[in-house]
Amino acid sequence: MTAPTRTPAAIDAATLSELTKDGSGPRLLDVRTPGEFHTVHIPGAYNVPLDTLRTRRADLLHHLDEDTVLICRSGARAAQAEQALADAGLPNLRVLEGGMVAWEEAQGAVTHGAARWELERQVRLIAGSIVLVSGLAGLAIPGLHLIGTAVGAGLTFAALTNTCAMGMLLAKLPYNRGPRTDINTVITTLRSRP
């Protein structure tokens, strides 16, 4: 029997906006890719991509507390980050409910950089293109349509497990990396913050 999945504590965009008005609010950890982060982020947020957070969580534990809010595009990756940190011994972190989508809808302050497609949009484009091309080519080459079936199975698995292998692969492309996150600089900054 598997352990039940716990729901991380959430904070809504309006409440977080109020807490960050004077610049002294909670620590903000944005777990999106550097490319997504540099496209748009909440001023004062630190970019620690989810894969980096997972590998360096022991280093981060000493500099985070319950006054930390985890952010991603919609809340899913932030919830995974919260779970990873809770498993490492840091419970009670909060996740921005609805992520950057909700933040921007609530007209929260943002810093904009060069526009890039969000990772989720890239996954939809690649998966849809594979299904479309394999489906059309399957009319001429029997069995080729099964590639689309495999992609559909992968997307179903991704939804059920709240992970996405295609998204993780796309996140490694230079387009999505943007300026690299220097985790040591982030840790030093977190250490010096009261």
Side-chain angles (χ1 to χ4, degrees):
M1 178 184 274
T2 60
T5 305
R6 56 190 239 349
T7 303
I11 184 170
D12 63 67
T15 303
L16 183 58
S17 181
E18 194 60 39
L19 290 173
T20 58
K21 269 189 179 168
D22 64 1
S24 66
R27 287 180 178 89
L28 305 175
L29 231 56
D30 192 317
V31 299
R32 296 175 298 153
T33 66
E36 290 174 293
F37 179 80
H38 288 285
T39 296
V40 63
H41 62 270
I42 299 172
Y46 302 98
N47 183 222
V48 181
L50 182 58
D51 57 343
T52 302
L53 180 138
R54 286 179 173 144
T55 60
R56 299 289 302 267
R57 65 185 174 180
D59 299 325
L60 290 165
L61 286 179
H62 306 293
H63 310 292
L64 302 175
D65 55 28
E66 62 277 349
D67 197 28
T68 301
V69 176
L70 300 166
I71 303 161
C72 67
R73 180 185 177 278
S74 64
R77 283 179 278 174
Q80 291 175 31
E82 189 276 340
Q83 182 67 52
L85 290 168
D87 290 348
L90 186 62
N92 305 322
L93 298 178
R94 294 175 288 175
V95 170
L96 176 58
E97 191 172 38
M100 285 300 296
V101 172
W103 181 262
E104 289 184 288
E105 286 175 357
Q107 298 179 342
V110 294
T111 299
H112 285 281
R116 297 170 194 240
W117 277 21
E118 295 166 344
L119 204 53
E120 182 182 321
R121 185 176 181 190
Q122 294 175 51
V123 168
R124 291 191 314 251
L125 173 70
I126 299 298
S129 297
I130 292 170
V131 171
L132 177 64
V133 170
S134 67
L136 292 175
L139 296 173
I141 304 169
L144 199 57
H145 69 284
L146 294 176
I147 293 172
T149 302
V151 170
L155 292 173
T156 301
F157 179 79
L160 293 173
T161 61
N162 201 25
T163 62
C164 184
M166 187 180 296
M168 288 186 273
L169 288 172
L170 289 171
K172 295 183 185 311
L173 294 176
Y175 174 81
N176 290 315
R177 283 193 244 153
R180 293 194 79 188
T181 298
D182 181 2
I183 189 66
N184 294 323
T185 301
V186 171
I187 291 170
T188 300
T189 307
L190 288 170
R191 183 180 302 132
S192 65
R193 184 174 174 210

